[in-house]
PDB file of all heavy atoms in Angstrom:
ATOM      1  N   PRO A 248      67.434  57.436 114.127  1.00 97.00           N
ATOM      2  CA  PRO A 248      67.681  57.529 112.686  1.00 97.00           C
ATOM      3  C   PRO A 248      66.452  57.352 111.803  1.00 97.00           C
ATOM      4  O   PRO A 248      66.519  57.580 110.591  1.00 97.00           O
ATOM      5  CB  PRO A 248      68.696  56.407 112.432  1.00 97.00           C
ATOM      6  CG  PRO A 248      68.425  55.414 113.514  1.00 97.00           C
ATOM      7  CD  PRO A 248      67.981  56.199 114.704  1.00 97.00           C
ATOM      8  N   ALA A 249      65.332  56.921 112.359  1.00 98.00           N
ATOM      9  CA  ALA A 249      64.124  56.706 111.552  1.00 98.00           C
ATOM     10  C   ALA A 249      62.895  57.041 112.378  1.00 98.00           C
ATOM     11  O   ALA A 249      62.922  57.033 113.619  1.00 98.00           O
ATOM     12  CB  ALA A 249      64.054  55.259 111.058  1.00 98.00           C
ATOM     13  N   MET A 250      61.793  57.321 111.694  1.00 98.00           N
ATOM     14  CA  MET A 250      60.521  57.540 112.368  1.00 98.00           C
ATOM     15  C   MET A 250      59.957  56.210 112.836  1.00 98.00           C
ATOM     16  O   MET A 250      60.168  55.170 112.198  1.00 98.00           O
ATOM     17  CB  MET A 250      59.528  58.227 111.427  1.00 98.00           C
ATOM     18  CG  MET A 250      59.944  59.629 111.015  1.00 98.00           C
ATOM     19  SD  MET A 250      58.750  60.408 109.886  1.00 98.00           S
ATOM     20  CE  MET A 250      59.125  59.558 108.340  1.00 98.00           C
ATOM     21  N   VAL A 251      59.219  56.254 113.941  1.00 98.00           N
ATOM     22  CA  VAL A 251      58.657  55.032 114.486  1.00 98.00           C
ATOM     23  C   VAL A 251      57.272  55.327 115.049  1.00 98.00           C
ATOM     24  O   VAL A 251      57.055  56.393 115.645  1.00 98.00           O
ATOM     25  CB  VAL A 251      59.583  54.407 115.549  1.00 98.00           C
ATOM     26  CG1 VAL A 251      59.825  55.352 116.705  1.00 98.00           C
ATOM     27  CG2 VAL A 251      59.054  53.067 116.030  1.00 98.00           C
ATOM     28  N   LEU A 252      56.348  54.390 114.861  1.00 98.00           N
ATOM     29  CA  LEU A 252      54.962  54.574 115.291  1.00 98.00           C
ATOM     30  C   LEU A 252      54.497  53.305 115.991  1.00 98.00           C
ATOM     31  O   LEU A 252      54.621  52.208 115.443  1.00 98.00           O
ATOM     32  CB  LEU A 252      54.077  54.876 114.069  1.00 98.00           C
ATOM     33  CG  LEU A 252      52.657  55.367 114.303  1.00 98.00           C
ATOM     34  CD1 LEU A 252      52.156  56.110 113.053  1.00 98.00           C
ATOM     35  CD2 LEU A 252      51.695  54.249 114.637  1.00 98.00           C
ATOM     36  N   ALA A 253      53.956  53.482 117.205  1.00 97.00           N
ATOM     37  CA  ALA A 253      53.426  52.345 117.964  1.00 97.00           C
ATOM     38  C   ALA A 253      52.318  52.841 118.882  1.00 97.00           C
ATOM     39  O   ALA A 253      52.405  53.929 119.456  1.00 97.00           O
ATOM     40  CB  ALA A 253      54.528  51.674 118.785  1.00 97.00           C
ATOM     41  N   ASN A 254      51.276  52.047 119.012  1.00 95.00           N
ATOM     42  CA  ASN A 254      50.180  52.363 119.934  1.00 95.00           C
ATOM     43  C   ASN A 254      49.580  53.744 119.690  1.00 95.00           C
ATOM     44  O   ASN A 254      49.184  54.445 120.613  1.00 95.00           O
ATOM     45  CB  ASN A 254      50.648  52.248 121.390  1.00 95.00           C
ATOM     46  CG  ASN A 254      51.132  50.855 121.731  1.00 95.00           C
ATOM     47  OD1 ASN A 254      50.488  49.857 121.384  1.00 95.00           O
ATOM     48  ND2 ASN A 254      52.275  50.766 122.387  1.00 95.00           N
ATOM     49  N   GLY A 255      49.517  54.122 118.407  1.00 95.00           N
ATOM     50  CA  GLY A 255      48.883  55.377 118.043  1.00 95.00           C
ATOM     51  C   GLY A 255      49.722  56.616 118.236  1.00 95.00           C
ATOM     52  O   GLY A 255      49.269  57.723 117.939  1.00 95.00           O
ATOM     53  N   ARG A 256      50.953  56.474 118.712  1.00 97.00           N
ATOM     54  CA  ARG A 256      51.846  57.622 118.908  1.00 97.00           C
ATOM     55  C   ARG A 256      53.086  57.442 118.052  1.00 97.00           C
ATOM     56  O   ARG A 256      53.536  56.315 117.808  1.00 97.00           O
ATOM     57  CB  ARG A 256      52.214  57.783 120.386  1.00 97.00           C
ATOM     58  CG  ARG A 256      51.011  58.115 121.305  1.00 97.00           C
ATOM     59  CD  ARG A 256      50.720  59.605 121.307  1.00 97.00           C
ATOM     60  NE  ARG A 256      49.444  59.954 121.889  1.00 97.00           N
ATOM     61  CZ  ARG A 256      49.223  60.196 123.180  1.00 97.00           C
ATOM     62  NH1 ARG A 256      50.214  60.049 124.055  1.00 97.00           N
ATOM     63  NH2 ARG A 256      48.040  60.577 123.604  1.00 97.00           N
ATOM     64  N   TYR A 257      53.665  58.568 117.617  1.00 98.00           N
ATOM     65  CA  TYR A 257      54.815  58.498 116.734  1.00 98.00           C
ATOM     66  C   TYR A 257      55.949  59.375 117.250  1.00 98.00           C
ATOM     67  O   TYR A 257      55.732  60.330 118.021  1.00 98.00           O
ATOM     68  CB  TYR A 257      54.435  58.959 115.316  1.00 98.00           C
ATOM     69  CG  TYR A 257      53.741  60.311 115.269  1.00 98.00           C
ATOM     70  CD1 TYR A 257      54.455  61.500 115.368  1.00 98.00           C
ATOM     71  CD2 TYR A 257      52.353  60.389 115.111  1.00 98.00           C
ATOM     72  CE1 TYR A 257      53.814  62.724 115.325  1.00 98.00           C
ATOM     73  CE2 TYR A 257      51.702  61.605 115.072  1.00 98.00           C
ATOM     74  CZ  TYR A 257      52.437  62.776 115.169  1.00 98.00           C
ATOM     75  OH  TYR A 257      51.796  63.983 115.138  1.00 98.00           O
ATOM     76  N   ALA A 258      57.164  59.038 116.814  1.00 98.00           N
ATOM     77  CA  ALA A 258      58.352  59.843 117.096  1.00 98.00           C
ATOM     78  C   ALA A 258      59.005  60.179 115.775  1.00 98.00           C
ATOM     79  O   ALA A 258      59.212  59.297 114.932  1.00 98.00           O
ATOM     80  CB  ALA A 258      59.321  59.091 118.010  1.00 98.00           C
ATOM     81  N   ILE A 259      59.321  61.460 115.603  1.00 98.00           N
ATOM     82  CA  ILE A 259      59.878  61.971 114.342  1.00 98.00           C
ATOM     83  C   ILE A 259      61.222  62.632 114.628  1.00 98.00           C
ATOM     84  O   ILE A 259      61.292  63.603 115.387  1.00 98.00           O
ATOM     85  CB  ILE A 259      58.943  63.010 113.709  1.00 98.00           C
ATOM     86  CG1 ILE A 259      57.531  62.452 113.513  1.00 98.00           C
ATOM     87  CG2 ILE A 259      59.515  63.507 112.385  1.00 98.00           C
ATOM     88  CD1 ILE A 259      56.518  63.509 113.121  1.00 98.00           C
ATOM     89  N   PRO A 260      62.296  62.152 114.017  1.00 97.00           N
ATOM     90  CA  PRO A 260      63.599  62.805 114.217  1.00 97.00           C
ATOM     91  C   PRO A 260      63.806  63.951 113.215  1.00 97.00           C
ATOM     92  O   PRO A 260      63.519  63.805 112.029  1.00 97.00           O
ATOM     93  CB  PRO A 260      64.594  61.675 113.933  1.00 97.00           C
ATOM     94  CG  PRO A 260      63.905  60.822 112.922  1.00 97.00           C
ATOM     95  CD  PRO A 260      62.427  60.905 113.217  1.00 97.00           C
ATOM     96  N   ARG A 261      64.279  65.074 113.732  1.00 95.00           N
ATOM     97  CA  ARG A 261      64.741  66.150 112.862  1.00 95.00           C
ATOM     98  C   ARG A 261      66.244  66.018 112.664  1.00 95.00           C
ATOM     99  O   ARG A 261      66.931  65.321 113.417  1.00 95.00           O
ATOM    100  CB  ARG A 261      64.401  67.518 113.461  1.00 95.00           C
ATOM    101  CG  ARG A 261      62.932  67.752 113.771  1.00 95.00           C
ATOM    102  CD  ARG A 261      62.033  67.580 112.580  1.00 95.00           C
ATOM    103  NE  ARG A 261      60.723  68.193 112.799  1.00 95.00           N
ATOM    104  CZ  ARG A 261      59.646  67.926 112.108  1.00 95.00           C
ATOM    105  NH1 ARG A 261      59.692  67.018 111.149  1.00 95.00           N
ATOM    106  NH2 ARG A 261      58.497  68.545 112.344  1.00 95.00           N
ATOM    107  N   ARG A 262      66.781  66.697 111.677  1.00 92.00           N
ATOM    108  CA  ARG A 262      68.197  66.547 111.367  1.00 92.00           C
ATOM    109  C   ARG A 262      69.116  67.012 112.490  1.00 92.00           C
ATOM    110  O   ARG A 262      70.223  66.516 112.651  1.00 92.00           O
ATOM    111  CB  ARG A 262      68.518  67.323 110.089  1.00 92.00           C
ATOM    112  CG  ARG A 262      67.999  66.669 108.822  1.00 92.00           C
ATOM    113  CD  ARG A 262      68.348  67.497 107.603  1.00 92.00           C
ATOM    114  NE  ARG A 262      67.834  66.871 106.387  1.00 92.00           N
ATOM    115  CZ  ARG A 262      67.777  67.512 105.221  1.00 92.00           C
ATOM    116  NH1 ARG A 262      68.202  68.767 105.126  1.00 92.00           N
ATOM    117  NH2 ARG A 262      67.313  66.888 104.137  1.00 92.00           N
TER     118      ARG A 262
END
Side-chain angles (χ1 to χ4, degrees):
M250 295 179 284
V251 59
L252 192 158
N254 300 315
R256 295 276 167 88
Y257 52 79
I259 305 170
R261 303 304 197 198
R262 286 180 181 167

